[in-house]
Short mmCIF file of all heavy atoms in Angstrom, two decimals:
data_model
loop_
_atom_site.label_atom_id
_atom_site.label_comp_id
_atom_site.label_asym_id
_atom_site.label_seq_id
_atom_site.Cartn_x
_atom_site.Cartn_y
_atom_site.Cartn_z
N TRP A 16 -0.38 3.58 16.06
CA TRP A 16 -1.22 3.66 17.36
C TRP A 16 -1.20 2.36 18.15
O TRP A 16 -1.70 2.37 19.22
CB TRP A 16 -2.71 3.92 16.97
CG TRP A 16 -3.42 2.82 16.20
CD1 TRP A 16 -4.22 1.92 16.81
CD2 TRP A 16 -3.43 2.60 14.81
NE1 TRP A 16 -4.69 1.05 15.81
CE2 TRP A 16 -4.24 1.46 14.54
CE3 TRP A 16 -2.81 3.23 13.68
CZ2 TRP A 16 -4.48 0.89 13.27
CZ3 TRP A 16 -3.08 2.65 12.40
CH2 TRP A 16 -3.91 1.51 12.26
N HIS A 54 -2.82 6.60 11.00
CA HIS A 54 -3.81 7.64 10.77
C HIS A 54 -3.09 9.00 10.58
O HIS A 54 -1.99 9.11 11.15
CB HIS A 54 -4.66 7.79 12.07
CG HIS A 54 -5.49 6.73 12.60
ND1 HIS A 54 -4.88 5.81 13.42
CD2 HIS A 54 -6.76 6.34 12.38
CE1 HIS A 54 -5.90 4.86 13.67
NE2 HIS A 54 -6.97 5.16 13.07
N THR A 90 -4.89 5.69 6.93
CA THR A 90 -6.33 5.85 7.37
C THR A 90 -6.49 7.34 7.95
O THR A 90 -5.46 7.97 8.12
CB THR A 90 -6.85 4.80 8.26
OG1 THR A 90 -8.18 4.94 8.49
CG2 THR A 90 -6.13 4.71 9.51
N PHE A 94 -12.46 10.34 14.67
CA PHE A 94 -13.06 9.89 15.90
C PHE A 94 -12.64 10.62 17.16
O PHE A 94 -13.32 10.67 18.13
CB PHE A 94 -13.09 8.43 16.17
CG PHE A 94 -11.69 7.82 15.82
CD1 PHE A 94 -10.82 7.74 16.81
CD2 PHE A 94 -11.38 7.33 14.57
CE1 PHE A 94 -9.56 7.11 16.49
CE2 PHE A 94 -10.17 6.77 14.24
CZ PHE A 94 -9.26 6.62 15.20
N VAL A 135 -7.92 2.61 4.65
CA VAL A 135 -8.90 2.01 5.49
C VAL A 135 -9.90 3.11 6.09
O VAL A 135 -9.53 4.27 6.33
CB VAL A 135 -8.19 1.29 6.82
CG1 VAL A 135 -9.23 1.08 7.88
CG2 VAL A 135 -7.73 0.00 6.24
N TRP A 137 -12.44 3.12 9.13
CA TRP A 137 -13.12 2.55 10.26
C TRP A 137 -13.99 3.68 10.83
O TRP A 137 -13.56 4.84 11.09
CB TRP A 137 -12.07 2.15 11.39
CG TRP A 137 -12.76 1.84 12.71
CD1 TRP A 137 -13.62 0.87 12.89
CD2 TRP A 137 -12.62 2.52 13.94
NE1 TRP A 137 -14.10 0.86 14.20
CE2 TRP A 137 -13.48 1.89 14.80
CE3 TRP A 137 -11.87 3.54 14.39
CZ2 TRP A 137 -13.60 2.17 16.18
CZ3 TRP A 137 -12.05 4.01 15.78
CH2 TRP A 137 -12.80 3.27 16.66
N GLU A 181 -13.89 -0.89 7.46
CA GLU A 181 -13.72 -1.81 8.71
C GLU A 181 -14.98 -1.73 9.60
O GLU A 181 -15.21 -0.69 10.23
CB GLU A 181 -12.52 -1.33 9.39
CG GLU A 181 -12.22 -2.10 10.79
CD GLU A 181 -11.00 -1.71 11.39
OE1 GLU A 181 -10.09 -1.07 10.84
OE2 GLU A 181 -10.89 -2.07 12.66
N LYS A 183 -17.40 -2.50 12.79
CA LYS A 183 -17.36 -2.77 14.37
C LYS A 183 -18.68 -2.60 14.87
O LYS A 183 -19.44 -1.68 14.41
CB LYS A 183 -16.33 -1.79 14.99
CG LYS A 183 -16.09 -2.07 16.43
CD LYS A 183 -15.08 -1.12 16.99
CE LYS A 183 -14.78 -1.44 18.50
NZ LYS A 183 -13.82 -0.43 19.14
N ASN A 215 -11.94 -4.52 5.61
CA ASN A 215 -10.77 -4.71 6.53
C ASN A 215 -11.38 -5.35 7.89
O ASN A 215 -11.63 -4.68 8.82
CB ASN A 215 -10.21 -3.40 6.84
CG ASN A 215 -9.01 -3.47 7.83
OD1 ASN A 215 -8.25 -4.60 7.83
ND2 ASN A 215 -8.82 -2.59 8.70
N GLU A 217 -11.74 -7.17 11.27
CA GLU A 217 -10.88 -7.26 12.56
C GLU A 217 -11.45 -8.30 13.45
O GLU A 217 -12.61 -8.43 13.74
CB GLU A 217 -10.88 -5.95 13.30
CG GLU A 217 -10.14 -6.01 14.55
CD GLU A 217 -9.81 -4.77 15.38
OE1 GLU A 217 -9.57 -3.76 14.69
OE2 GLU A 217 -10.04 -4.65 16.56
N HIS A 220 -13.57 -7.22 16.41
CA HIS A 220 -14.83 -6.61 16.11
C HIS A 220 -15.93 -7.67 15.78
O HIS A 220 -17.05 -7.52 16.32
CB HIS A 220 -14.69 -5.69 14.87
CG HIS A 220 -13.78 -4.50 15.26
ND1 HIS A 220 -13.44 -3.54 14.37
CD2 HIS A 220 -13.17 -4.21 16.41
CE1 HIS A 220 -12.54 -2.70 14.93
NE2 HIS A 220 -12.43 -3.02 16.20
N ASP A 245 -7.25 -6.97 10.11
CA ASP A 245 -6.68 -6.49 11.39
C ASP A 245 -6.68 -7.70 12.26
O ASP A 245 -7.79 -8.22 12.64
CB ASP A 245 -7.59 -5.49 11.91
CG ASP A 245 -7.24 -4.05 11.33
OD1 ASP A 245 -6.43 -3.96 10.43
OD2 ASP A 245 -7.82 -3.05 11.82
N ASP A 255 -13.81 -3.68 24.11
CA ASP A 255 -12.86 -3.86 23.02
C ASP A 255 -11.51 -4.07 23.54
O ASP A 255 -10.86 -3.14 23.97
CB ASP A 255 -12.98 -2.45 22.27
CG ASP A 255 -12.10 -2.41 21.03
OD1 ASP A 255 -11.67 -3.40 20.52
OD2 ASP A 255 -11.98 -1.25 20.50
N ASP A 257 -8.65 -5.66 22.02
CA ASP A 257 -7.53 -5.45 21.19
C ASP A 257 -6.23 -6.22 21.73
O ASP A 257 -5.11 -5.68 21.69
CB ASP A 257 -7.16 -4.06 20.96
CG ASP A 257 -8.19 -3.32 20.15
OD1 ASP A 257 -8.88 -4.03 19.21
OD2 ASP A 257 -8.29 -2.09 20.10
N ASP A 287 -3.59 -5.06 14.69
CA ASP A 287 -4.36 -3.89 15.28
C ASP A 287 -4.61 -4.18 16.72
O ASP A 287 -5.72 -4.47 17.08
CB ASP A 287 -5.47 -3.55 14.50
CG ASP A 287 -6.22 -2.20 15.05
OD1 ASP A 287 -5.51 -1.63 15.87
OD2 ASP A 287 -7.33 -1.98 14.66
C1 GLT B 1 -8.70 2.22 16.33
C2 GLT B 1 -9.66 0.99 16.08
C3 GLT B 1 -9.18 0.13 14.99
C4 GLT B 1 -9.09 0.68 13.67
C5 GLT B 1 -8.13 1.79 13.55
C6 GLT B 1 -8.16 2.42 12.22
S1 GLT B 1 -7.98 2.83 14.91
O1 GLT B 1 -7.63 1.73 17.02
O2 GLT B 1 -9.88 0.44 17.32
O3 GLT B 1 -9.96 -1.05 15.03
O4 GLT B 1 -8.60 -0.29 12.83
O5 GLT B 1 -8.81 3.60 12.23
#
Side-chain angles (χ1 to χ4, degrees):
W16 68 93
H54 298 86
T90 183
F94 42 88
V135 162
W137 172 60
E181 178 177 346
K183 185 176 181 182
N215 178 35
E217 172 170 320
H220 296 176
D245 278 5
D255 183 14
D257 288 337
D287 186 8

